[in-house]
mmCIF file of all heavy atoms in Angstrom:
data_model
loop_
_atom_site.group_PDB
_atom_site.id
_atom_site.type_symbol
_atom_site.label_atom_id
_atom_site.label_comp_id
_atom_site.label_asym_id
_atom_site.label_seq_id
_atom_site.Cartn_x
_atom_site.Cartn_y
_atom_site.Cartn_z
ATOM 1 N N LEU A 173 1.437 29.456 -30.291
ATOM 2 C CA LEU A 173 1.800 30.201 -29.094
ATOM 3 C C LEU A 173 3.213 30.747 -29.184
ATOM 4 O O LEU A 173 4.047 30.205 -29.901
ATOM 5 C CB LEU A 173 1.710 29.271 -27.875
ATOM 6 C CG LEU A 173 0.346 29.056 -27.212
ATOM 7 C CD1 LEU A 173 0.487 28.146 -26.014
ATOM 8 C CD2 LEU A 173 -0.288 30.368 -26.788
ATOM 9 N N GLU A 174 3.475 31.802 -28.416
ATOM 10 C CA GLU A 174 4.827 32.310 -28.195
ATOM 11 C C GLU A 174 5.592 32.562 -29.488
ATOM 12 O O GLU A 174 6.724 32.166 -29.648
ATOM 13 C CB GLU A 174 5.575 31.334 -27.297
ATOM 14 C CG GLU A 174 4.893 31.133 -25.946
ATOM 15 C CD GLU A 174 5.443 29.922 -25.186
ATOM 16 O OE1 GLU A 174 6.082 29.056 -25.835
ATOM 17 O OE2 GLU A 174 5.237 29.848 -23.983
ATOM 18 N N GLY A 175 4.937 33.217 -30.433
ATOM 19 C CA GLY A 175 5.645 33.645 -31.637
ATOM 20 C C GLY A 175 5.787 32.594 -32.723
ATOM 21 O O GLY A 175 6.468 32.833 -33.730
ATOM 22 N N LYS A 176 5.233 31.424 -32.540
ATOM 23 C CA LYS A 176 5.285 30.381 -33.565
ATOM 24 C C LYS A 176 4.401 30.771 -34.734
ATOM 25 O O LYS A 176 3.234 31.122 -34.551
ATOM 26 C CB LYS A 176 4.838 29.031 -33.012
ATOM 27 C CG LYS A 176 5.796 28.410 -32.002
ATOM 28 C CD LYS A 176 5.278 27.056 -31.557
ATOM 29 C CE LYS A 176 6.209 26.435 -30.519
ATOM 30 N NZ LYS A 176 5.681 25.117 -30.040
ATOM 31 N N ASN A 177 4.942 30.707 -35.941
ATOM 32 C CA ASN A 177 4.166 31.018 -37.149
ATOM 33 C C ASN A 177 4.170 29.815 -38.091
ATOM 34 O O ASN A 177 5.128 29.042 -38.127
ATOM 35 C CB ASN A 177 4.742 32.242 -37.867
ATOM 36 C CG ASN A 177 4.467 33.500 -37.095
ATOM 37 O OD1 ASN A 177 3.430 33.678 -36.475
ATOM 38 N ND2 ASN A 177 5.443 34.410 -37.096
ATOM 39 N N PHE A 178 3.102 29.696 -38.884
ATOM 40 C CA PHE A 178 3.012 28.618 -39.867
ATOM 41 C C PHE A 178 2.590 29.242 -41.217
ATOM 42 O O PHE A 178 1.676 30.068 -41.265
ATOM 43 C CB PHE A 178 1.925 27.613 -39.456
ATOM 44 C CG PHE A 178 2.058 27.102 -38.053
ATOM 45 C CD1 PHE A 178 1.233 27.633 -37.035
ATOM 46 C CD2 PHE A 178 2.945 26.132 -37.719
ATOM 47 C CE1 PHE A 178 1.319 27.182 -35.748
ATOM 48 C CE2 PHE A 178 3.057 25.666 -36.420
ATOM 49 C CZ PHE A 178 2.234 26.197 -35.424
ATOM 50 N N GLU A 179 3.252 28.845 -42.290
ATOM 51 C CA GLU A 179 2.879 29.235 -43.628
ATOM 52 C C GLU A 179 1.955 28.149 -44.192
ATOM 53 O O GLU A 179 2.386 27.001 -44.364
ATOM 54 C CB GLU A 179 4.094 29.427 -44.502
ATOM 55 C CG GLU A 179 5.050 30.509 -44.025
ATOM 56 C CD GLU A 179 4.433 31.875 -44.073
ATOM 57 O OE1 GLU A 179 3.790 32.194 -45.089
ATOM 58 O OE2 GLU A 179 4.599 32.633 -43.111
ATOM 59 N N VAL A 180 0.723 28.523 -44.477
ATOM 60 C CA VAL A 180 -0.287 27.542 -44.930
ATOM 61 C C VAL A 180 -0.839 27.949 -46.278
ATOM 62 O O VAL A 180 -1.246 29.108 -46.475
ATOM 63 C CB VAL A 180 -1.445 27.411 -43.914
ATOM 64 C CG1 VAL A 180 -2.384 26.297 -44.345
ATOM 65 C CG2 VAL A 180 -0.894 27.191 -42.510
ATOM 66 N N GLU A 181 -0.850 27.019 -47.243
ATOM 67 C CA GLU A 181 -1.417 27.271 -48.532
ATOM 68 C C GLU A 181 -2.935 27.007 -48.492
ATOM 69 O O GLU A 181 -3.376 25.990 -47.965
ATOM 70 C CB GLU A 181 -0.783 26.406 -49.618
ATOM 71 C CG GLU A 181 0.622 26.844 -50.004
ATOM 72 C CD GLU A 181 1.100 26.170 -51.283
ATOM 73 O OE1 GLU A 181 0.424 25.222 -51.746
ATOM 74 O OE2 GLU A 181 2.141 26.587 -51.795
ATOM 75 N N SER A 182 -3.693 27.927 -49.052
ATOM 76 C CA SER A 182 -5.150 27.828 -49.056
ATOM 77 C C SER A 182 -5.691 28.121 -50.428
ATOM 78 O O SER A 182 -5.215 29.057 -51.121
ATOM 79 C CB SER A 182 -5.716 28.847 -48.029
ATOM 80 O OG SER A 182 -7.120 28.826 -48.030
ATOM 81 N N ASN A 183 -6.678 27.343 -50.840
ATOM 82 C CA ASN A 183 -7.305 27.552 -52.141
ATOM 83 C C ASN A 183 -8.412 28.619 -52.023
ATOM 84 O O ASN A 183 -9.240 28.557 -51.112
ATOM 85 C CB ASN A 183 -7.920 26.249 -52.689
ATOM 86 C CG ASN A 183 -6.860 25.227 -52.989
ATOM 87 O OD1 ASN A 183 -5.827 25.560 -53.586
ATOM 88 N ND2 ASN A 183 -7.056 24.009 -52.575
ATOM 89 N N LYS A 184 -8.431 29.549 -52.967
ATOM 90 C CA LYS A 184 -9.393 30.635 -52.919
ATOM 91 C C LYS A 184 -10.189 30.743 -54.215
ATOM 92 O O LYS A 184 -9.635 30.538 -55.320
ATOM 93 C CB LYS A 184 -8.651 31.996 -52.733
ATOM 94 C CG LYS A 184 -7.735 32.065 -51.500
ATOM 95 C CD LYS A 184 -8.533 32.181 -50.236
ATOM 96 C CE LYS A 184 -7.620 32.409 -49.040
ATOM 97 N NZ LYS A 184 -8.367 32.480 -47.776
ATOM 98 N N PHE A 185 -11.437 31.035 -54.079
ATOM 99 C CA PHE A 185 -12.243 31.480 -55.223
ATOM 100 C C PHE A 185 -11.982 32.982 -55.390
ATOM 101 O O PHE A 185 -11.970 33.721 -54.406
ATOM 102 C CB PHE A 185 -13.729 31.236 -54.958
ATOM 103 C CG PHE A 185 -14.636 32.019 -55.882
ATOM 104 C CD1 PHE A 185 -14.779 31.656 -57.196
ATOM 105 C CD2 PHE A 185 -15.331 33.122 -55.421
ATOM 106 C CE1 PHE A 185 -15.636 32.370 -58.036
ATOM 107 C CE2 PHE A 185 -16.150 33.838 -56.247
ATOM 108 C CZ PHE A 185 -16.311 33.475 -57.558
#
Side-chain angles (χ1 to χ4, degrees):
L173 278 181
E174 301 166 340
K176 291 182 181 178
N177 289 323
F178 310 100
E179 298 295 316
V180 185
E181 285 193 350
S182 177
N183 294 316
K184 305 286 187 182
F185 163 74

